[in-house]
Amino acid sequence: MPTPSLDALPIRRLTLRDLTACADLSEDRGWPREEHKWGFLLTAGRGYGIDDPQGGLVAACVITEYGSWGQPELGAIGMVLVAERHARRGVGRRLMRHVVSAMDGTPLTLYATEKGRPLYEELGFKVTGRAEMLRGRFSPGGSDLGVTTRAATAEDLPRILCVDEEAFGADRTPLIARLPAFADQLRVAEEDGRIIGYAAAWPNMDTHVVGPLIARDTETAQALIASLAAGTDRPLRTDIDVRHEELLTWAKARGLASVTHNSVMTYGITELPGDWTRRFAPLTVAAG
């Protein structure tokens, strides 16, 4: 039988049964397999993919919705990948158009590499910000930051959700409620018994990724990073909004080096909702 053209291959929903195929696709494009992250995204969000008749996936992506159940206020697109043997044949464009159509007018956001940005611009996405990826072994130093942090408890979750929604601008309960199981550390910063920030560190290959990082101010963000670093012997990785120049300078002075920059892009809105001054780093760039 003749092999069907790529345009004829159906786009379908992905499930956890596709975890290995998604990891294989990542590896095919030179990315880490990141099975832990793929599993999280396929559970918290919706995966879309195209099966390869010869086995595996032609392409995949994940969209995570935020807001009221059944009425999302924002969708974050991530993990957009096309197998190397099918690259530059319009597959990524077709998959993205399908996702945009499926979201039916819901505003969208994504983090784009320089290589991927032209495709998203062609589809109507606009650059609205930038994030800088840092990686390295954190070296504590300097004076006491004077901010109290501690491990989060189950009783903290409602307050964490409130702080997160104020900063992010949309309800992220399905995502944040999974953090205790997904992350190795979840910590809060407190002042007079009130939570003024929180952050998680989750395992990704040989690093711990710091994210989300939500904090009242830079000093609180610094204290949360330092407290997470104290609880791991792995290098840290995080993606910090470039507008937080003070935090970037502080982190680089303590061993985290710049790896790359990504463009924050939006579709259907001119800027992201919420309060960017309290939003320092995403849980993962794949989930906004």
Side-chain angles (χ1 to χ4, degrees):
M1 294 180 62
T3 302
S5 70
L6 291 178
D7 289 342
L9 296 175
I11 297 172
R12 67 170 178 88
R13 287 282 299 275
L14 300 176
T15 71
L16 283 175
R17 291 190 296 273
D18 298 299
L19 179 58
T20 299
C22 289
D24 289 345
L25 185 58
S26 291
E27 194 169 56
D28 175 75
R29 294 315 304 256
W31 289 18
R33 291 184 62 83
E34 298 185 309
E35 292 179 343
H36 184 59
K37 183 170 77 173
W38 270 113
F40 179 79
L41 293 169
L42 289 172
T43 303
R46 286 188 291 158
Y48 291 92
I50 301 173
D51 290 313
D52 190 330
Q54 298 179 18
L57 290 169
V58 170
C61 72
V62 177
I63 184 156
T64 310
E65 299 177 355
Y66 304 117
S68 304
W69 176 258
Q71 294 182 313
E73 299 165 21
L74 182 69
I77 300 173
M79 307 302 283
V80 181
L81 285 165
V82 177
E84 178 63 37
R85 63 189 177 279
H86 299 301
R88 295 169 294 280
R89 296 172 64 185
V91 181
R93 182 180 297 102
R94 179 181 169 224
L95 184 59
M96 282 293 299
R97 283 178 173 159
H98 178 87
V99 170
V100 171
S101 177
M103 290 303 291
D104 194 25
T106 299
L108 302 172
T109 185
L110 55 80
Y111 284 73
T113 63
E114 285 302 304
K115 189 174 181 179
R117 196 175 80 180
L119 168 61
Y120 305 129
E121 289 177 331
E122 179 185 326
L123 295 171
F125 285 80
K126 307 293 185 184
V127 175
T128 56
R130 294 178 79 222
E132 184 171 1
M133 181 191 293
L134 303 181
R135 187 186 188 281
R137 293 195 174 276
F138 182 87
S139 300
S143 59
D144 183 11
L145 293 167
V147 177
T148 300
T149 71
R150 61 170 175 79
T153 67
E155 289 72 25
D156 293 320
L157 184 57
R159 292 190 293 165
I160 288 173
L161 289 169
C162 288
V163 169
D164 185 81
E165 186 170 353
E166 289 174 0
F168 192 78
D171 181 12
R172 295 200 292 176
T173 297
L175 196 77
I176 305 306
R178 287 178 167 85
L179 276 179
F182 176 66
D184 285 344
Q185 296 187 71
L186 178 60
R187 298 187 65 83
V188 296
E190 279 188 318
E191 183 180 79
D192 299 326
R194 182 170 58 92
I195 291 178
I196 58 173
Y198 82 96
W202 51 272
N204 190 44
M205 311 308 289
D206 63 339
T207 68
H208 267 123
V209 177
V210 175
L213 176 55
I214 303 292
R216 180 184 63 183
D217 50 35
T218 300
E219 185 179 35
T220 304
Q222 291 171 348
L224 285 164
I225 292 175
S227 67
L228 292 170
T232 179
D233 58 1
R234 298 187 187 190
L236 297 184
R237 202 188 87 194
T238 191
D239 296 85
I240 296 175
D241 187 318
V242 297
R243 291 172 290 187
H244 291 294
E245 296 179 4
E246 184 180 352
L247 183 64
L248 283 166
T249 299
W250 175 87
K252 291 173 183 177
R254 282 156 182 78
L256 303 191
S258 179
V259 177
T260 189
H261 287 79
N262 288 312
S263 297
V264 180
M265 306 187 76
T266 58
Y267 178 94
I269 48 176
T270 56
E271 62 181 1
L272 290 171
D275 181 1
W276 76 265
T277 66
R278 290 187 284 170
R279 194 172 56 235
F280 288 84
L283 191 159
T284 165
V285 295

